[in-house]
């Protein structure tokens, strides 16, 4: 297993692989790896000759500086977890300078409005940061396929748009959300939850499942009202947003239409820790 920190080293490795026509599966992460990340890596191993995992806490996608400071960083155990999956994985764990050079700034992207919904509304600049770092990483890694979780469904849609905008040849593969037995979606930020927050957080997915159940018979207004009520007197979780949106453009809806795919999206705070989840409704 090879771990590279320097852009030049990974570029040399990639050039050698590309010359030998090896298919490269790429899994970009911010580390603090959990089973959700590993599910993406396992899929990449199945579908590619070589798998490359990046571990990089990308400063430009954090709108909250405290969240960036507190984001868990666990490189040695991340590397160990990956080496247990396969010795054939290449890890790229760069510093910000290796990715951005001297100019750590975001490109101002137009993702056709996808960037203005939900996470984009509540985390200004977030998707410019995501798009910019992925543009850099895709350029360095030249992947055949890149793997993203539906846990960050809006990000997945934006990455597909980025590939169009930047005319990249990578195939984007979306992977299902990996959950704890309790239903809580795995997230690196879960490591920061205290016992009480951990005990209450499964209610996020329970709420989404109930919405899925009621979606066919209740109005969007009634469903949204019900979700607000669930969190109204909750001392541990604070609702930031709940939206039912079209899959095609992620615009939130007031009324359902026939032959349209919808998903429900939720963001809550457990103290300072922000958790997101979503579910397909039809
Ligand atoms: P992150 O390290 O949070 O940037 O996540 C790296 C990748 O792993 C992204 O594509 C995420 O959507 C994906 N991911 C994170 N958590 C999960 C999960 N619970 N299930 C599936 N994919 C996930």
């Amino acid at each position: 297993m090879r771990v590279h920190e320097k852009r030049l080293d990974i570029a040399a490795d990639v050039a050698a692989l590309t010359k030998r026509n090896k298919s490269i599966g790429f899994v970009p992460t911010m580390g603090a790896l959990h089973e959700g990340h590993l599910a993406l890596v396992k899929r990449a191993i199945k579908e590619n000759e070589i798998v490359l995992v990046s571990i990089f806490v990308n400063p430009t996608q954090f709108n909250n500086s405290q969240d960036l400071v507190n984001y868990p960083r666990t490189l040695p155990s991340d590397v160990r977890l990956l080496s247990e999956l396969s010795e054939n994985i290449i890890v790229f764990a760069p510093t910000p300078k290796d990715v951005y050079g001297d100019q750590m700034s975001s490109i101002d992207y137009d993702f056709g409005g996808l960037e203005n919904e939900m996470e984009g509304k509540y985390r200004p600049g977030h998707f410019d940061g995501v798009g910019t770092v992925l543009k850099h990483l895709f350029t360095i890694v030249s992947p055949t396929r890149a793997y993203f979780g539906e846990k960050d469904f809006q990000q997945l849609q934006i990455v597909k748009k980025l590939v169009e905008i930047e005319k990249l040849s990578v195939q984007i593969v979306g992977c299902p959300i990996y959950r704890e037995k309790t239903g809580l979606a795995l997230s690196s930020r879960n490591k920061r939850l205290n016992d009480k927050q951990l005990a209450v957080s499964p209610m996020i997915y329970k709420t989404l499942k109930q919405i899925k159940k009621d979606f066919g018979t209740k109005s969007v207004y009634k469903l949204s009202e019900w979700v607000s009520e669930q969190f109204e007197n909750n001392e541990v979780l604070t609702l930031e947003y709940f939206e039912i949106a079209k899959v095609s453009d992620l615009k939130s809806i007031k009324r359902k239409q026939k032959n349209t795919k919808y998903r429900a999206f939720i963001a809550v705070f457990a103290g300072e820790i922000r958790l997101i989840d979503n579910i397909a409704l039809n």
Side-chain angles (χ1 to χ4, degrees):
M1 175 133 154
R2 300 194 286 283
V3 182
H4 295 302
E5 285 175 10
K6 295 273 163 259
R7 190 182 179 126
L8 281 178
D9 294 337
I10 190 88
D13 229 345
V14 167
L17 292 166
T18 311
K19 208 168 158 196
R20 285 156 55 210
N21 270 333
K22 297 280 184 196
S23 57
I24 300 177
F26 180 39
V27 184
T29 81
M30 296 203 299
L33 299 184
H34 51 64
E35 283 298 330
H37 295 115
L38 298 184
L40 269 58
V41 176
K42 284 177 195 165
R43 172 120 181 233
I45 289 173
K46 267 199 203 128
E47 299 179 354
N48 302 275
E49 289 162 288
I50 298 289
V51 169
L52 208 150
V53 178
S54 64
I55 296 178
F56 178 58
V57 182
N58 173 36
T60 65
Q61 74 187 67
F62 282 80
N63 56 311
N64 176 334
S65 55
Q66 236 8 63
D67 190 25
L68 172 62
V69 170
N70 290 329
Y71 201 87
R73 290 158 169 89
T74 58
L75 185 62
S77 71
D78 291 347
V79 170
R80 198 185 60 241
L81 281 173
L82 291 170
S83 68
E84 282 165 10
L85 284 189
S86 162
E87 276 303 317
N88 225 2
I89 296 172
I90 301 170
V91 176
F92 182 41
T95 62
K97 201 172 160 67
D98 275 304
V99 175
Y100 287 98
D102 288 328
Q103 221 180 1
M104 196 164 64
S105 59
S106 294
I107 299 165
D108 188 6
Y109 277 110
D110 176 355
F111 292 115
L114 291 173
E115 74 279 22
N116 300 325
E117 308 300 327
M118 299 183 287
E119 291 300 282
K121 245 186 254 165
Y122 289 89
R123 303 185 68 187
H126 171 66
F127 288 120
D128 282 339
V130 169
T132 305
V133 76
L134 286 174
K135 182 188 179 232
H136 286 305
L137 291 173
F138 285 155
T139 305
I140 298 169
V141 173
S142 304
T144 318
R145 299 178 192 83
Y147 296 79
F148 293 85
E150 289 184 347
K151 157 86 175 13
D152 302 282
F153 191 83
Q154 187 173 7
Q155 170 175 277
L156 170 62
Q157 302 302 78
I158 280 184
V159 174
K160 288 178 184 164
K161 193 83 192 169
L162 174 77
V163 167
E164 258 177 62
I165 293 170
E166 298 286 0
K167 298 186 175 58
L168 303 169
S169 61
V170 57
Q171 181 193 331
I172 302 302
V173 184
C175 303
I177 302 174
Y178 198 97
R179 300 180 180 282
E180 304 274 9
K181 280 202 182 75
T182 60
L184 178 64
L186 265 68
S187 161
S188 303
R189 289 185 176 87
N190 293 358
K191 290 193 169 75
R192 297 180 52 215
L193 296 173
N194 64 31
D195 288 349
K196 195 167 174 197
Q197 291 165 333
L198 257 183
V200 179
S201 297
M203 116 174 227
I204 299 167
Y205 183 52
K206 274 198 198 114
T207 306
L208 289 179
K209 274 201 304 194
Q210 189 63 43
I211 291 294
K212 184 178 177 114
K213 216 166 153 194
D214 292 341
F215 184 67
T217 53
K218 294 196 174 140
S219 70
V220 173
Y221 179 79
K222 279 274 167 223
L223 293 171
S224 304
E225 191 180 51
W226 179 79
V227 173
S228 298
E229 282 164 17
Q230 300 314 297
F231 288 91
E232 222 161 53
N233 296 316
N234 195 309
E235 286 170 10
V236 181
L237 301 179
T238 308
L239 181 65
E240 185 174 43
Y241 69 75
F242 168 78
E243 290 192 14
I244 293 178
K246 278 185 280 176
V247 168
S248 56
D249 59 9
L250 300 182
K251 288 211 184 307
S252 110
I253 57 152
K254 294 208 164 63
R255 229 165 284 119
K256 298 170 241 174
Q257 287 175 333
K258 278 193 187 141
N259 303 321
T260 309
K261 288 262 175 241
Y262 297 107
R263 260 180 124 92
F265 296 84
I266 193 166
V268 306
F269 277 99
E272 288 174 354
I273 304 151
R274 192 166 178 279
L275 303 172
I276 59 170
D277 202 349
N278 68 89
I279 195 167
L281 295 175
N282 58 353

